[in-house]
Amino acid sequence: MLSSTFSRWASINNHGPKATTTTTALLQKISHSYALGRQLFSTAPILDNNSYDKLGIIGLGLMGHGIAQTAAMAAATSKNNNNNIHSSIIAYETDPTFLTRGRDRIQKSVDKLLTKGKLTSSQATSVMDKITFTNDRDALNDVDLIVEAIIENIDLKKDLYSDLGDRCKPSTIFASNTSSLSITQMALASHRPSQFVGIHFFNPVQLMKLVEVVKTEHTSDAVFDTTMEWVEQIGKVGVKCRDTPGFIVNRLLVPNLVQAMLLVERGGASVRDVDLSMKLGAGHPMGPLHLADYVGLDTCLFIMEGWVKDFPDERAFVVPDILREKVKKNELGRKTGKGFYNWDGDKRGDPIEL
């Protein structure tokens, strides 16, 4: 990045006496390069009031709708009742169908909490009123923090952040909810890497307390500290992590799932005995193969193949043949009714022994 910036300066200053570029044009180029340098290397972005008053959520799928609801509920049920965590939340989806589906998910969850007496009628109304649902990306231009929760595709995310970097106000902070992709790559694509963090929530967002807050080598200390405070404000527990593959939980968890598959693959133990051993011997709530089925074997394969490609020298990153075979046969676990176990909806059946 330093070399690319210096090359811009070199090209600007290498016009010579026969250059046809006018002085005005030259100054414009210098100004542009200076602005680019400030974006790339700034470490002290301006935070409006040192808080994230106006929140933007991109993507209202499984994770995104949960993040939007959690933030809105934190504002609506604030103990001091001053509703000051968020003045508004902009929930954005490109597809009107997905937007409606996300809104309906939140409404259904809020209605359930109201029925159970966990929300008052006024609080339930406030939760929904706090969120503006939109297909208009311009609505995100003046928010303080954007949390992105779209499909796990690095190219799509980089294109999105490049656009957001151009359109959003200079102080807007960007955060990706990715569970396995490089925060640094997205940060650089945004043209404001000092204002970029990872915020990895866990499913279901409304219930799971942990949030991994990920700092790159470019992230401003002020941005990182404010983001940690925001995580606590919405009722979660934040843990700090560098931009390492899988962050903390998945970096430890996914290789564990893979080792369980390899153990079964080489005939060392059965599916039943591997899972039973980890439940009764290690105190895990479910065994690794049960968990892999629940998460989705396609998801496990996607994560591990990406790590193998990006970090070929890491010995812990390996793709079992049995995982590839099951995904190829569409035996993805819970979502297709068959994986390492038979499934009936969300109910796990008997193990499938090899």
Side-chain angles (χ1 to χ4, degrees):
M1 185 173 300
L2 279 169
S3 60
S4 65
T5 303
F6 286 143
S7 2
R8 283 177 180 267
W9 280 97
S11 65
I12 289 169
N13 289 291
N14 192 30
H15 290 284
K18 296 182 180 180
T20 58
T21 304
T22 65
T23 302
T24 301
L26 178 59
L27 290 174
Q28 287 175 341
K29 287 185 178 181
I30 293 174
S31 175
H32 173 73
S33 292
Y34 178 69
L36 176 65
R38 288 188 66 186
Q39 284 182 325
L40 291 178
F41 306 117
S42 171
T43 57
I46 299 172
L47 289 176
D48 292 347
N49 301 319
N50 198 36
S51 65
Y52 300 142
D53 175 56
K54 192 171 184 181
L55 176 66
I57 306 293
I58 299 181
L60 286 182
L62 185 64
M63 301 301 293
H65 92 274
I67 298 169
Q69 180 186 333
T70 297
M73 286 184 60
T77 61
S78 179
K79 289 183 179 180
N80 57 15
N81 203 33
N82 62 8
N83 231 21
N84 66 350
I85 298 177
H86 298 297
S87 64
S88 63
I89 297 169
I90 308 298
Y92 168 77
E93 262 285 4
T94 55
D95 189 318
T97 301
F98 293 153
L99 184 70
T100 300
R101 188 179 300 166
R103 179 171 52 209
D104 290 347
R105 277 176 162 174
I106 296 173
Q107 185 68 69
K108 182 178 179 181
S109 179
V110 169
D111 289 344
K112 186 179 294 185
L113 292 170
L114 177 61
T115 301
K116 292 182 176 180
K118 295 185 177 181
L119 286 178
T120 66
S121 179
S122 62
Q123 287 174 335
T125 299
S126 179
V127 169
M128 298 308 298
D129 288 348
K130 187 69 66 174
I131 307 173
T132 299
F133 297 89
T134 183
N135 296 122
D136 181 9
R137 191 176 289 186
D138 284 341
L140 298 167
N141 292 356
D142 67 341
V143 302
D144 298 306
L145 170 68
I146 289 178
V147 180
E148 163 269 312
I150 67 171
I151 189 172
E152 290 283 72
N153 181 301
I154 190 64
D155 292 328
L156 288 177
K157 289 178 185 282
K158 287 165 68 174
D159 287 345
L160 171 64
Y161 284 118
S162 178
D163 177 66
L164 293 174
D166 291 336
R167 72 169 55 242
C168 292
K169 66 180 182 179
S171 61
T172 300
I173 308 304
F174 300 148
S176 178
N177 181 60
T178 183
S179 62
S180 62
L181 299 178
S182 168
I183 301 296
T184 300
Q185 287 187 42
M186 291 180 272
L188 295 176
S190 75
H191 309 303
R192 51 176 84 178
S194 64
Q195 294 165 240
F196 205 111
V197 292
I199 304 182
H200 180 217
F201 291 81
F202 290 81
N203 180 44
V205 176
Q206 296 91 328
L207 299 178
M208 298 292 281
K209 297 290 287 185
L210 186 69
V211 177
E212 294 172 325
V213 184
V214 184
K215 185 177 185 180
T216 76
E217 62 180 311
H218 307 287
T219 308
S220 154
D221 288 341
V223 167
F224 189 77
D225 291 343
T226 301
T227 303
M228 286 291 294
E229 292 173 8
W230 175 76
V231 166
E232 293 180 3
Q233 286 177 337
I234 63 170
K236 301 301 183 183
V237 177
V239 291
K240 301 176 182 180
C241 183
R242 288 288 182 176
D243 187 18
T244 184
F247 314 135
I248 299 174
V249 174
N250 283 337
R251 178 64 178 82
L252 298 173
L253 179 62
V254 176
N256 173 259
L257 305 186
V258 164
Q259 286 300 314
M261 296 175 197
L262 290 171
L263 183 58
V264 169
E265 180 177 280
R266 61 178 177 259
S270 67
V271 171
R272 172 191 176 276
D273 289 347
V274 166
D275 278 356
L276 190 61
S277 296
M278 294 307 293
K279 286 180 64 178
L280 300 184
H284 292 189
M286 66 175 70
L289 299 172
H290 180 182
L291 179 57
D293 263 15
Y294 190 84
V295 170
L297 300 185
D298 54 336
T299 301
C300 296
L301 179 63
F302 173 83
I303 292 172
M304 191 52 75
E305 282 188 331
W307 288 353
V308 169
K309 178 182 177 182
D310 293 339
F311 305 96
D313 296 328
E314 174 55 67
R315 296 175 63 184
F317 298 160
V318 59
V319 180
D321 291 338
I322 191 174
L323 178 59
R324 282 202 175 96
E325 291 169 5
K326 283 189 173 293
V327 172
K328 185 177 181 180
K329 292 188 290 186
N330 201 39
E331 296 178 2
L332 309 182
R334 175 178 57 93
K335 65 179 72 175
T336 59
K338 186 178 182 180
F340 287 102
Y341 290 86
N342 289 300
W343 290 82
D344 181 9
D346 287 341
K347 184 179 180 182
R348 195 204 75 185
D350 294 330
I352 298 172
E353 301 299 351
L354 303 179

